[in-house]
């Protein structure tokens, strides 16, 4: 079964390189969903001509604004502007309901979502996600340092999407390029694409062998 992945937003918190914040749109298993929905995601969807009413579910890795801050705008526009007429499932870490007024879940239609604990700012209840869409597996690190759980998340996946915040600089609670290179085999994935890159990392995207995401990039599995 074909699965299509579009990097609606592939940027970091600060819009490095003029990129939108994290929003990964997936079509497969008879449904359309996003992994994360940063503050700029509604703008990015509209710029790329994507109707947000066509989205069935939003899966959130953690509660930082550049990964979930667009959800309130999505909901308000769905009610007042776009006049959404069908359900939208929003799933994420604990406290999501109390902090965003949405419903969290683990299995939705043809999706099976498995969260793994991530090593990131603990107040955001960070996770990395393994999403089974029909016969395809997409894994996303979210933000976080390398852990054994991250390797488990990506094992045998058709696609691992990995944050790569810096090229050389080590930074707490994030992956950088040396960590990615060191652990690339641990993922055991068929394909790896790097995203969530700072200005420093963006300067090296044309000189490294790994695939790097850009806003509007579409991947078919």
């Amino acid at each position: 079964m074909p699965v299509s992945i579009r990097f609606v937003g592939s940027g970091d918190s600060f819009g490095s390189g003029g990129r939108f914040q994290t929003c990964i749109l997936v079509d497969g298993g008879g449904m359309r969903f996003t992994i994360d929905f940063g503050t700029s995601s509604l703008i990015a969807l509209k710029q790329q001509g994507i109707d947000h009413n066509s989205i069935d579910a939003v899966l959130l890795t953690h509660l930082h604004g550049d990964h979930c801050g667009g959800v309130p705008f999505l909901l308000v526009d769905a009610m007042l502007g776009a006049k959404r007429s069908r359900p939208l499932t929003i799933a994420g870490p604990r406290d999501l309901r109390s902090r965003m007024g949405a419903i969290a879940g683990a299995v939705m239609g043809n999706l099976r979502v498995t969260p793994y604990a991530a090593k990131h700012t603990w107040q955001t209840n960070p996770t990395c996600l393994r999403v089974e869409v029909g016969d395809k597996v997409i894994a996303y690190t979210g933000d976080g340092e390398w852990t054994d759980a991250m390797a488990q998340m990506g094992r045998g996946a058709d696609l691992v999407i990995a944050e790569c915040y810096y090229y050389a600089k080590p930074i707490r609670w994030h992956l950088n390029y040396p960590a990615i290179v060191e652990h690339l085999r641990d993922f055991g994935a068929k394909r790896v694409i790097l995203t969530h890159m700072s200005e420093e990392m963006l300067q090296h995207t044309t000189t490294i062998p790994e695939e790097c995401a850009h806003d509007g990039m579409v991947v078919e599995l």
Side-chain angles (χ1 to χ4, degrees), residues 132-143:
E132 299 174 47
V133 189
D135 60 350
K136 299 293 192 299
V137 176
I138 304 165
Y140 175 44
T141 64
D143 287 358

Side-chain angles (χ1 to χ4, degrees), residues 34-77:
T34 72
I35 302 175
D36 284 344
F37 204 88
T39 304
S40 59
S41 297
L42 189 60
I43 303 166
L45 286 170
K46 291 186 176 183
Q47 186 181 92
Q48 294 173 36
I50 300 167
D51 177 11
H52 66 75
N53 280 346
S54 67
I55 296 171
D56 300 296
V58 175
L59 313 179
L60 301 175
T61 59
H62 64 290
L63 302 177
H64 268 159
D66 59 321
H67 292 263
C68 72
V71 171
F73 299 102
L74 172 67
L75 296 176
V76 170
D77 190 51

Side-chain angles (χ1 to χ4, degrees), residues 157-173:
D158 294 279
L159 173 64
V160 166
I161 302 168
E163 81 144 339
C164 190
Y165 200 33
Y166 278 92
Y167 179 74
K169 179 181 176 181
I171 184 166
R172 190 181 183 192
W173 294 331

Side-chain angles (χ1 to χ4, degrees), residues 94-114:
R94 67 182 185 274
D95 296 336
L96 178 63
R97 181 190 288 271
S98 61
R99 293 172 68 169
M100 302 190 73
I103 299 173
V107 179
M108 294 154 287
N110 289 325
L111 298 185
R112 182 169 297 274
V113 183
T114 306

